[in-house]
Every structure is written in structure tokens, then in C-alpha cells.
Amino acid sequence: MKKKLSERIAERAKLKQHSRNAKNRAQFLNVRDEIQEALDEKWTLKDIWETLHIEGTITFSYEAFRKHVNAWQNPSKPPTNEKREAQTNKDDDKKNATTGTKPEKSFELPGFKYNPIPNKEELY
């Protein structure tokens, strides 16, 4: 039976002089089905990594292993805070455009307010 393309690429990456990251990814891709089975059986990432590392299947650190697993399970990154704020502002603008109202924004902080011109009633 012919091997999967990802398996063939992983084998080729092992033989070539690629960067360390490429070798790590190739090692991870070779065992990702086994990793998924272990995760489905509720094994922890640390246990999976230790076993594969002791067997010599993977040679990279636990932190790199975690990053590979997270990238594989969550292929798209969640938006950053700046993107969320921009999206929220766009949504607010759309709501205000449809209702015809302007948002009331107060830029003053609650509490003490400095006034350089003294109020004579407050001085006594």
C-alpha cells in the first residue's frame, strides 16, 4: 500500500538538511494520529510527550510539542485584542447609523476633578 503524502514528506524532511523546525514538524506529523488517539483516551499532553520522547519517536522539547499540538488542533488563531476592539467599534458604528443616535462617551474619570480657577463657595 502506498504511503500518505504527509508521511512521504516527513521521511524526506528527515533525510534532508532542513531547519530544526522542519524536522520537528516532520516528527510530529508522523505520530499525529497516535497523538489524537491518546488525546481521545484522555491522556495528558505531558504523558504523551514523555512516552514518545523516551521511545525516541520525537526529539524536541515539551514546549515545542505543545505548540505543535495546539497549532494542529486550533488551525486559526483567535483575533487579538486590537482586532476585537476594532470589530466592536465597527458594530457600534453600524448600530448607531441604523438608529440615528450618537454614542454618549464620557472621557472624564470619576472622582477628583482639578479646576485651576477656584470656586469661592468651595473655599470657605
Side-chain angles (χ1 to χ4, degrees):
M1 185 169 133
K2 191 173 181 180
K3 293 181 182 179
K4 291 181 182 180
L5 177 61
S6 62
E7 292 173 355
R8 296 191 317 251
I9 293 171
E11 288 176 1
R12 191 174 66 85
K14 283 182 184 178
L15 298 175
K16 289 179 96 177
Q17 294 298 323
H18 284 291
S19 68
R20 178 181 44 158
N21 291 340
K23 289 179 183 179
N24 293 350
R25 176 163 292 175
Q27 290 175 357
F28 175 78
L29 291 176
N30 273 339
V31 294
R32 70 177 169 199
D33 294 332
E34 294 177 51
I35 293 169
Q36 183 61 50
E37 288 174 14
L39 289 172
D40 291 341
E41 293 172 2
K42 307 295 183 204
W43 288 101
T44 65
L45 283 178
K46 184 75 170 177
D47 291 332
I48 297 168
W49 174 81
E50 284 178 346
T51 303
L52 293 173
H53 194 67
I54 289 170
E55 292 174 351
T57 308
I58 57 173
T59 58
F60 47 92
S61 69
Y62 174 67
E63 289 78 19
F65 177 74
R66 276 187 31 244
K67 288 179 184 178
H68 283 295
V69 171
N70 288 334
W72 171 53
Q73 289 184 336
N74 306 318
S76 63
K77 293 183 180 178
T80 61
N81 287 337
E82 294 172 358
K83 290 181 182 178
R84 281 190 210 129
E85 290 173 1
Q87 184 63 34
T88 304
N89 291 340
K90 286 180 185 177
D91 293 343
D92 290 344
D93 292 342
K94 287 179 185 177
K95 287 179 187 176
N96 294 334
T98 57
T99 60
T101 61
K102 291 185 178 181
E104 295 179 20
K105 294 185 179 179
S106 174
F107 294 105
E108 296 180 14
L109 297 174
F112 177 77
K113 296 176 187 168
Y114 174 74
N115 186 358
I117 302 172
N119 185 353
K120 293 185 179 183
E121 293 176 3
E122 292 178 358
L123 292 176
Y124 301 113

